[in-house]
Structure formats: C-alpha cells, structure tokens
Amino acid sequence: MLILVLDAAGPRVLAALVRDGTVLAQAAEDAEQGHAALLPALVERLLGTAPVPDGGPDAVAATIGPGGFTGLRAALSLAQGLALGWGIPAIGVTVGEALAASVPAPVRAARAVWAVTDSKRGHWFLETFAPGDPAALAPPIPVFPADLPRPAGPVACAGGRAAALAARLLARGDAALLTDQRRPEAVGIARVGAARLAGDLAPRLAQPLYVDAPSVRPAA
C-alpha cells in the first residue's frame, strides 16, 4: 500500500511516500511560518525524486490537528486537491494518533499512550489511548498542566510536551514512561492512514480538528 503523507500541524513541514511501512522518499523543513508555500514545493520535490504510479498512490494521509491554523489548512487543502486529482481517498490522522502509532508495540500493549501538544496559549492538548487498543482514542481536550487527570494505570508519554507531562505525572506518583516520540513522523501517519483505508480504524475525514475557539477579535 502506497501512501502520500503530509504534515504541517506543527513547526515542521513534511511530505513523504510510504509503502507498507517503509519510507521511500521524504522531504521536510523546520518552519514556524510559511507552511502554505513550503508544503507544495516539498511535494513537488518529493514526486520528482520518487514518482508515483499513473493512478497515484492508494491514499493521501494528512495530520488534521491539534495544531496551528495556517499549517492545518495548507496541508488539508493540498491533500484534498491531490486526492481529488488522483481519484483516491484523503484520510485524516490526528497528531496523537500518529504519535501513538510510532510508540513500540510492547509499550502500547502495556500502557495507555498520552499524547500532548502545546497549544501556545498556556495549556496543552491531550489525546489519550487505551492500552493495546489503537481504536480507543479519547477526543483531544485542553488541559492546564496543574489540572492533569489521573490515569487509570501506567502511561507512556509522547508529543512535544511529553517530558513535562511525564515529570508532572511522576512527581504525583503516577506510573509514567517518557517515550522518544516528539512529533508525528511519516511511518506513524501512514500506519494510521493504512489502518483507516483497510477499515481497521473508524473513518476520519481530512478536515481540520480545532480544539480551542478561534483567537480573533471583532472589528472595532
């Protein structure tokens, strides 16, 4: 199964072609801004080095959030446009799903995965997964670090603020393990996309996942 992966949810823009869990080609750049211009250029470069079949890949899988407004819109618009042109599905993958899919299977089997993303507004976005069940995803919720919920059992921490999350849980006496997963990677995104395409996970559209209300002010 060949999947085109797109990610612009955070401070990095990523495009990759992944076949059956193996990255065939990848292009990525760290960027705080300019995702809308960077991502199409990366995809063009990627397809120039690793051409896809005439019918296109089997699917486009893109991260839908939590993440930055501009990056999400850029990645998802591109994903939908490419998918429409090729006549293939555009599949949505949450940042937490991609992170959890990259945690080693023995760890996922024994521990719940807590994936945490910095909202840049003084709180975190928390996605939680039950042990051993990739489909048991709780919707992302905004949490303040001082008000973390109590886990029901051992936790594996992933995401951009995973170190801070693990430290707080351990200080409180909870069984927390810090993983190496800090941001979505191509294989994890593709793994979730392939599971959705095969019907092993519930469908998720390539539509932006916003947790916080928009930070806009009415015109004076």
Side-chain angles (χ1 to χ4, degrees), residues 141-173:
I141 58 171
V143 296
F144 288 93
D147 300 321
L148 286 171
R150 300 297 301 237
V155 169
C157 302
R161 298 309 303 272
L165 172 64
R168 286 184 175 272
L169 291 175
L170 289 169
R172 205 170 58 180

Side-chain angles (χ1 to χ4, degrees), residues 6-195:
L6 304 178
D7 173 43
R12 181 207 53 182
V13 182
L14 168 71
L17 280 170
V18 181
R19 186 189 296 277
D20 299 329
T22 299
V23 177
L24 303 181
Q26 178 170 300
E29 286 190 27
D30 291 328
E32 293 289 345
Q33 302 179 40
H35 295 62
L38 276 174
L39 189 56
L42 290 184
V43 171
E44 184 177 13
R45 184 197 313 169
L46 177 76
L47 297 181
T49 59
V52 300
D54 290 339
D58 295 293
V60 181
T63 50
I64 62 172
F69 178 89
T70 303
L72 291 178
R73 300 297 299 187
L76 294 173
S77 296
L78 183 58
Q80 292 166 2
L82 290 170
L84 182 63
W86 277 318
I88 60 175
I91 299 172
V93 178
T94 75
V95 168
E97 287 176 327
L99 289 164
S102 299
V103 172
V107 176
R108 293 200 313 270
R111 294 172 176 265
V113 176
W114 282 22
V116 63
T117 306
D118 195 335
S119 72
K120 309 300 183 182
R121 296 185 182 182
H123 59 273
W124 300 337
F125 298 131
L126 178 66
E127 292 178 80
T128 60
F129 303 78
D133 186 356
L137 162 68
I141 58 171
V143 296
F144 288 93
D147 300 321
L148 286 171
R150 300 297 301 237
V155 169
C157 302
R161 298 309 303 272
L165 172 64
R168 286 184 175 272
L169 291 175
L170 289 169
R172 205 170 58 180
D174 297 317
L177 171 71
L178 179 61
T179 71
D180 294 331
Q181 282 64 50
R182 294 292 177 272
R183 57 189 184 183
E185 299 297 345
V187 170
I189 299 169
R191 187 172 291 152
V192 178

